Amino acid sequence: MNAADPPIDLLDGIATTRSIRRYTDDPVPEGALRDICFAATRAPSGSNRQSFRFIVLTNGSVASEAKQLIAGAARSIWANKRSADGYDQAQNAGGEEGENETSTRRSTTSAKDRLARSMDEYVARIDKVPALIFPCLIRHRAPTSTEGASVYPAMQNMLLAARALGFGGVTTMWHLLVEDELRSLLHIPADVFIAATLTLGRPAGGHGPVRRRPLSHFVYDGVWGQTPAWAVDPPGTPHTGLPPAR
Amino acid sequence: MNAADPPIDLLDGIATTRSIRRYTDDPVPEGALRDICFAATRAPSGSNRQSFRFIVLTNGSVASEAKQLIAGAARSIWANKRSADGYDQAQNAGGEEGENETSTRRSTTSAKDRLARSMDEYVARIDKVPALIFPCLIRHRAPTSTEGASVYPAMQNMLLAARALGFGGVTTMWHLLVEDELRSLLHIPADVFIAATLTLGRPAGGHGPVRRRPLSHFVYDGVWGQTPAWAVDPPGTPHTGLPPAR
């Protein structure tokens, strides 16, 4: 495989892979798509059944039509979410949530405002994404919550491998709004679970670090809610501005 | 974070992380558990809601009881699967499936036979696993197939980080058989989805390479079933002995 130059350490790569929604117009070369898909297939799956599949769309009329379908869904879903989840208010009250941030590089705009702007730009240009990928799973039984264990690890490998090769991506569930049209366009059988909508490209502009709540929020020692003393982030880890949700 | 010595390249790490079911008696130190959990929390989740949680069990009476519960489930489920899925026959007819293998290091025992032996040993010693982790997800709506997108990427990061630190693990769904008992023992709320059973430790003995079907089997170019010319494994990639399932 093509290693990054310079190569990225495994732990560092995991720690620095963030959602990328702004891309240059550069295509994702076939060699990179190959390495990204190869990485995906190294992931585990239930009974090593390897029922994950990856539909890759770049150029051509089918890809263009699929991107248009996703663009329509994205614009509709994001417009609703922007209004329903209070992103519009956040943009008017920029900085408010930033007060809670413990980042060493505190921004003057709030985390929610930054996300809203990033999403605006993303959906405006999503019909132009260099690569659109649908990670899928061929079902062998009725749908379950656990079936994702056989496809989402592969999806995560794709995002990490993209990072290693100088690309970036983000996953959404926008296909759900146009699933029938996509199944028809891409000839996806009825027993196949379309697990996500993944867009990939070369990152454009600046991107902040990965931000999460403090590690102590996520880790329990034996019993639910009981945080171990060792669950402490590395020094300097920037945290999300969102207040802890219980 | 503690880097491996020597550090492992991101793409190489992804390509060489395989399920590890045999562990030495070494504990997984708290520093390694911290780094593994930190890696998990870098994963994306729906709307960056960060509702994944990780229950980590190592020593003490609660951990011991949880390991016993999982051991009971594992032995029961594996005994049934061994019989129902023909693993017993595979062991008697060792080598048969190996005929289909395209590995450059063809084994004299079949892939199915190897897995059966590995599983036998795993379940026999599973109450002694150094670390038992339950990746969980706090639900904010009714269960869906896509909710796994908010917890299984984090689980994959755990397995990759373990690899980076010289540990290894494997995920199963064995908790499903003893879910009520685990919820009671670990005080897991009703709205929490227990996503998997993950065991971790330092690998013991030899472990073969990651084996999958050829890349062309997994990747479609635009339309379902249409393989792109670029979907070719790196030279020397060992393949699984299983015949392609459509």
Side-chain angles (χ1 to χ4, degrees):
Chain A
M1 290 198 287
N2 302 322
D5 183 25
I8 300 167
D9 169 73
L10 178 52
L11 286 180
D12 287 345
I14 293 170
T16 57
T17 297
R18 55 155 290 159
S19 294
I20 302 291
R21 298 184 180 85
R22 276 177 290 138
Y23 314 112
T24 69
D25 292 331
D26 294 351
V28 184
E30 292 181 348
L33 291 171
R34 177 198 60 213
D35 290 351
I36 289 165
C37 289
F38 180 78
T41 61
R42 301 305 98 178
S45 58
S47 298
N48 196 19
R49 196 173 277 111
Q50 308 174 49
S51 296
F52 38 57
R53 299 291 185 274
F54 309 97
I55 305 177
V56 179
L57 299 140
T58 53
N59 299 311
S61 61
V62 171
S64 174
E65 209 171 324
K67 289 177 187 178
Q68 289 294 341
L69 282 171
I70 289 298
R75 287 160 194 165
S76 169
I77 292 171
W78 172 236
N80 285 339
K81 191 178 173 71
R82 205 182 205 296
S83 162
D85 290 0
Y87 284 92
D88 291 330
Q89 289 82 343
Q91 190 150 39
N92 295 333
E96 190 179 16
E97 281 210 340
E99 300 305 311
N100 291 325
E101 288 194 81
T102 56
S103 165
T104 51
R105 293 197 296 165
R106 183 180 297 184
S107 167
T108 52
T109 53
S110 76
K112 199 161 187 174
D113 187 35
R114 282 197 306 270
L115 181 58
R117 286 169 192 272
S118 160
M119 289 294 288
D120 285 346
E121 192 179 344
Y122 181 42
V123 302
R125 294 173 50 85
I126 192 164
D127 50 323
K128 308 270 195 313
V129 292
L132 172 65
I133 299 179
F134 296 110
C136 297
L137 180 74
I138 302 173
R139 284 183 167 129
H140 68 287
R141 59 181 172 192
T144 63
S145 291
T146 54
E147 66 186 352
S150 291
V151 61
Y152 294 122
M155 184 177 84
Q156 177 65 4
N157 275 5
M158 295 191 119
L159 291 170
L160 294 169
R163 163 87 179 91
L165 296 164
F167 298 92
V170 64
T171 58
T172 66
M173 294 297 159
W174 286 334
H175 61 280
L176 295 175
L177 197 70
V178 289
E179 189 166 336
D180 290 347
E181 294 89 332
L182 283 171
R183 283 186 189 275
S184 171
L185 175 68
L186 305 176
H187 304 178
I188 304 173
D191 64 342
V192 170
F193 166 46
I194 308 175
T197 300
L198 169 58
T199 59
L200 278 182
R202 197 173 289 284
H207 286 88
V210 177
R211 288 171 194 272
R212 299 289 183 264
R213 299 194 182 103
L215 187 58
S216 58
H217 189 66
F218 300 106
V219 182
Y220 301 142
D221 182 11
V223 171
W224 189 267
Q226 178 179 290
T227 302
W230 52 259
V232 177
D233 291 293
T237 302
H239 293 141
T240 183
L242 299 173
R246 55 176 214 164
Chain B
M1 288 197 288
N2 302 323
D5 184 24
I8 300 168
D9 169 73
L10 178 52
L11 286 179
D12 287 345
I14 293 170
T16 57
T17 297
R18 55 155 291 160
S19 294
I20 301 291
R21 299 184 180 85
R22 275 177 290 137
Y23 313 112
T24 69
D25 293 330
D26 294 351
V28 184
E30 292 181 347
L33 290 171
R34 178 196 61 210
D35 291 352
I36 290 165
C37 290
F38 179 78
T41 61
R42 301 305 97 178
S45 58
S47 298
N48 197 19
R49 195 172 278 114
Q50 307 174 49
S51 296
F52 37 58
R53 299 291 184 275
F54 309 96
I55 305 177
V56 179
L57 299 141
T58 52
N59 298 313
S61 61
V62 171
S64 174
E65 210 170 325
K67 290 177 187 178
Q68 289 295 341
L69 281 171
I70 289 297
R75 287 161 193 164
S76 169
I77 292 171
W78 171 237
N80 285 339
K81 191 178 174 72
R82 204 182 206 296
S83 161
D85 291 1
Y87 284 91
D88 291 330
Q89 288 82 344
Q91 190 150 41
N92 294 333
E96 190 179 17
E97 281 209 342
E99 299 305 310
N100 291 325
E101 287 195 81
T102 56
S103 165
T104 51
R105 292 196 296 164
R106 183 180 296 182
S107 168
T108 52
T109 53
S110 77
K112 199 160 187 173
D113 187 35
R114 283 198 305 271
L115 180 58
R117 288 169 192 268
S118 161
M119 290 293 288
D120 285 345
E121 192 179 345
Y122 182 41
V123 301
R125 294 172 50 86
I126 192 165
D127 50 322
K128 308 272 196 311
V129 292
L132 171 66
I133 299 179
F134 296 109
C136 297
L137 179 73
I138 302 173
R139 284 183 167 129
H140 68 288
R141 59 182 172 193
T144 63
S145 291
T146 54
E147 66 186 352
S150 291
V151 61
Y152 295 122
M155 184 177 84
Q156 178 65 3
N157 275 5
M158 295 190 120
L159 292 169
L160 294 169
R163 164 86 179 91
L165 296 164
F167 297 91
V170 64
T171 58
T172 65
M173 294 297 159
W174 285 335
H175 61 280
L176 294 175
L177 198 70
V178 288
E179 189 166 336
D180 290 346
E181 294 89 332
L182 284 171
R183 283 186 188 275
S184 171
L185 175 68
L186 305 176
H187 303 179
I188 304 173
D191 64 342
V192 170
F193 167 45
I194 309 175
T197 299
L198 168 58
T199 57
L200 279 182
R202 197 173 288 285
H207 287 87
V210 177
R211 288 170 193 272
R212 298 289 182 264
R213 298 196 182 99
L215 187 58
S216 58
H217 190 66
F218 299 106
V219 182
Y220 301 142
D221 182 11
V223 171
W224 189 267
Q226 178 179 290
T227 301
W230 51 259
V232 178
D233 291 292
T237 302
H239 294 140
T240 183
L242 298 172
R246 53 176 213 163

